[in-house]
Amino acid sequence: MSTELPPVAPEVLAEAVENLTARLRKKLDDATAGCADTAVHEADGSVTFRFGEDALVTLRPGPAGTVTEAGQATCTCLLAPRCLHRAAALGAAPLADTAPPEPEPAVTAGTEQATAAGAGDSAETASAETASAEVGSAEPVGPAEPVPALTAAQLGAAAALWHAAAEALAAGVTAGGAVVQAELLRAAHTARLAGLPRAEAAALRVVRGLRAARERRTAHRLGDLTGSFRELLHTAGVLASGAADPALTGISRRAYAAGGSLQVHGLCREPVLSATGYGGVVTHLLAPDGSRYSISDVRPGGLARARGAGRASVALGGATLDHAGLARGGLRIVGATVSAEGRLGAGRGVKATPLPGAPWTDGPAAPLFARPAAEAVAALLADSADAADTETTLIGCDVVVVGPAGDHLLVREALPHAPLLRLLPAHPHPELPHTENLRRIAAYPGLRLRVLGRPDLDRAATLRPVAVGPVPGEPYTLRLPEEWLGRADLGYERLQGEHFPPPDTAAPATGPGPGPVAEPASDAPDPLADSPLWRVRRLLETGVAGGRRAVAEAARGTAPLAAYGPLRRAGLTGAADLATALTAEADRRPRDAFGRLADPSPDGYAWAWLAAATHLAGAERSLVAASWTATPSGATSAAP
């Protein structure tokens, strides 16, 4: 019997907190703490919580195992349902993903299938979690439709979400308890009803991040929560201004259009495992013209589902392949339906027949390895205005293994004067073989390796490999079984000793690229870590952790001059000016003659924080792009 609490729909929790009196709201955080430890799982699937002698709260989840209606949470006390006990029990349970959209119709102009949304927050198919499950945009499948203007309901929902996000930012983790989270959840639900799925998903990520931070979970990272706040404020702020950007509303990502007849070849497959309990697989595909597509199978089930889905049948047009076969095979599809980001739909009119597979050395995959990784990353950054798109595109390169360094593997691209690159697991879960495969590869310095991976644009010169293969014509390289067709999916196949060159075989003394590896496995230069921009990052994270009050403390005395002087000396005057403006705004609390706040709105502080965060993200992205070249920029490497 499961000991986990049933997930609760965000709107149910928000309503329960909203119904509390001001006096009870002050007690909510204390009542919620430790509530999960007292839960009793009944034989009928319900969960009960006892509060004293006269209060018994019962959660009765629906058939899907989720509390989606207010009537599924009851309390026996006299104040129910407007009682503290009921709100505390609901607050102790995890947040449920929003309800998936309707299934895709057989023809064009449908909505996405639930499996696509399940890779992350269901309301947003391009979220940070689905980024690990999707390929970037395919070639256009039809003329772009005009973007409709935002409705009055959408403008109102965006404004309400901005206000709730600004209040949460001003409070920070220390004061961002159940009441602040409930305000965000209420605003997120309003955004969902108004047709703003991306804004809703951004708000849910912030709430989950606040919960993880307050509960001090080991997986929590303050940098991730800072990024979630930046995305939420940016999305809500732009929408509230009336900008009908499809990338922010999420509307354009929900439609499928007719793709006609397609021929696609498997590139690789990778497991998908989200923090919200979804698991599955995504298989990446290429068309002969280089267009990128994907077929995903993601459903509730977590790790077990992610591990087993690698050999699940492909639910597309009666195809007889499983995902393992498709990753090394191909399909001829008639009547295809394709989403804007290249996901293939499984409508009733789709017909698919298997095709023989093609190795990476020829066919549509060959151009992926034909240009330097730096050029591929530069083109990726130049062509995509949406950060989610840059995080979903795979690039290829041939590398020479240098050795392990800390938590990553150092390699050098097999080109003259190429920089050191860092390889990190595409998914670090210990039950998935990514980490173990990289550890085995690190034991073979000088090994020539063909890598297909996703550039990590939050780190300097970092690639997260999804699949690897031997380099054609190189003797000191991988020796994979013939049936693997020259590549190994790092998330499903485990490299063994027989897949590597024999121990008595030495790395070649000469050859194309950088030649033998004689250098120690020391870390590579990191322009991002060497830049004084870390001071701005620390200020922003301080605001997320401690709220406006913590940032205001940095504005007093001579601290700003000492902190931001290195930024100005390094030529980062914009970052210094925005950081100074943020601390000044945080400390600006004008009061009237009676000592009351004359301007209690957190809007000015939120805009100042967002300006500094957006500038920092752009500056760091530029440094990351520079790290892929052989000569890192020295303009920002001044000593802090």
Side-chain angles (χ1 to χ4, degrees), residues 423-437:
L423 301 187
L424 283 176
H427 202 299
H429 196 287
E431 296 297 323
L432 296 175
H434 294 97
T435 302
E436 178 59 28
N437 282 331

Side-chain angles (χ1 to χ4, degrees), residues 27 150 178 275 293 353 396 403 441 451 482 500 535 545 606:
K27 301 180 179 181
L150 294 180
Y293 300 92
T353 56
I441 293 173
V451 177
E482 183 177 352
F500 293 90
R535 299 173 182 272

Side-chain angles (χ1 to χ4, degrees), residues 289-305:
D289 63 357
S291 299
R292 304 183 181 213
Y293 300 92
S294 67
I295 296 178
S296 59
D297 181 5
V298 183
R299 303 174 186 174
L303 177 63
R305 182 79 176 60

Side-chain angles (χ1 to χ4, degrees), residues 123-491:
E124 183 200 1
T125 64
S127 66
E129 292 170 338
T130 48
S132 66
E134 314 293 350
V135 164
S137 299
E139 295 296 323
V141 295
E145 298 182 359
V147 179
L150 294 180
T151 65
Q154 289 175 323
L155 289 172
L161 189 56
W162 165 267
H163 179 72
E167 292 282 1
L169 177 68
V173 172
T174 55
V179 175
V180 171
Q181 295 171 26
E183 292 298 327
L184 274 173
L185 294 177
R186 169 64 68 183
H189 182 59
T190 303
R192 178 191 179 194
L193 296 179
L196 301 175
R198 178 162 182 168
E200 180 209 16
L204 292 182
R205 279 195 296 276
V206 168
V207 173
R208 289 189 174 106
L210 287 172
R211 284 188 165 196
R214 291 178 62 85
E215 296 171 6
R216 299 182 180 180
R217 300 177 192 169
T218 55
H220 164 69
R221 291 182 65 247
L222 188 57
D224 293 340
L225 182 54
T226 302
S228 297
F229 262 112
R230 183 185 68 243
E231 181 183 356
L232 174 58
L233 288 168
H234 170 73
T235 302
V238 173
L239 291 176
S241 70
D245 186 348
L248 294 181
T249 60
I251 296 174
S252 65
R253 295 183 178 273
R254 304 177 70 84
Y256 278 77
S261 297
L262 295 176
Q263 180 177 317
V264 293
H265 295 274
L267 187 59
C268 63
R269 64 190 161 136
E270 61 173 319
V272 178
L273 182 61
S274 81
T276 53
Y278 285 85
V281 63
V282 59
T283 297
H284 303 287
L285 308 166
L286 279 178
D289 63 357
S291 299
R292 304 183 181 213
Y293 300 92
S294 67
I295 296 178
S296 59
D297 181 5
V298 183
R299 303 174 186 174
L303 177 63
R305 182 79 176 60
R307 297 174 66 179
R311 291 198 170 274
S313 298
V314 176
L316 182 69
T320 57
L321 290 174
D322 59 14
H323 280 272
L326 179 58
R328 294 184 173 89
L331 287 175
R332 180 177 286 110
I333 308 171
V334 179
T337 58
V338 189
S339 72
E341 58 273 13
R343 190 181 303 110
L344 297 176
R348 291 189 298 272
V350 179
K351 304 296 182 184
T353 56
L355 291 175
W360 283 355
T361 53
D362 48 51
L368 291 177
F369 305 93
R371 61 175 176 174
E375 290 185 12
V377 172
L380 182 62
L381 292 172
D383 295 343
S384 178
D386 189 346
D389 290 337
T390 65
E391 293 170 354
T392 60
T393 302
L394 302 177
I395 66 171
C397 58
D398 292 346
V399 301
V400 181
V401 175
V402 176
D407 62 345
H408 53 264
L409 167 64
L410 283 181
V411 300
R412 189 181 294 280
E413 194 171 3
L415 294 171
H417 312 295
L420 284 172
L421 305 180
R422 302 163 179 82
L423 301 187
L424 283 176
H427 202 299
H429 196 287
E431 296 297 323
L432 296 175
H434 294 97
T435 302
E436 178 59 28
N437 282 331
L438 290 186
R439 187 178 296 116
R440 283 185 173 272
I441 293 173
Y444 291 83
L447 183 73
R448 304 291 175 119
L449 197 66
R450 177 156 284 187
V451 177
L452 184 69
R454 183 174 296 105
D456 186 340
L457 300 181
D458 292 328
R459 297 170 179 260
T462 299
L463 191 66
R464 294 186 179 270
V466 174
V468 296
V471 177
E474 291 289 345
Y476 197 68
T477 187
L478 291 177
R479 304 182 178 189
L480 301 180
E482 183 177 352
E483 60 270 20
W484 286 16
L485 211 62
R487 66 260 205 180
D489 297 328
L490 295 179

Side-chain angles (χ1 to χ4, degrees), residues 533-587:
L533 285 172
W534 64 267
R535 299 173 182 272
V536 183
R537 190 184 316 115
R538 184 172 65 180
L539 177 66
L540 296 171
E541 293 179 353
T542 297
V544 170
R548 179 173 183 167
R549 180 177 299 178
V551 176
E553 291 294 332
R556 295 163 187 162
T558 60
L561 296 177
Y564 307 132
L567 288 169
R568 299 186 189 279
R569 291 194 296 272
L572 298 170
T573 56
D577 290 343
L578 290 171
T580 302
L582 172 59
T583 55
E585 179 62 29
D587 201 35

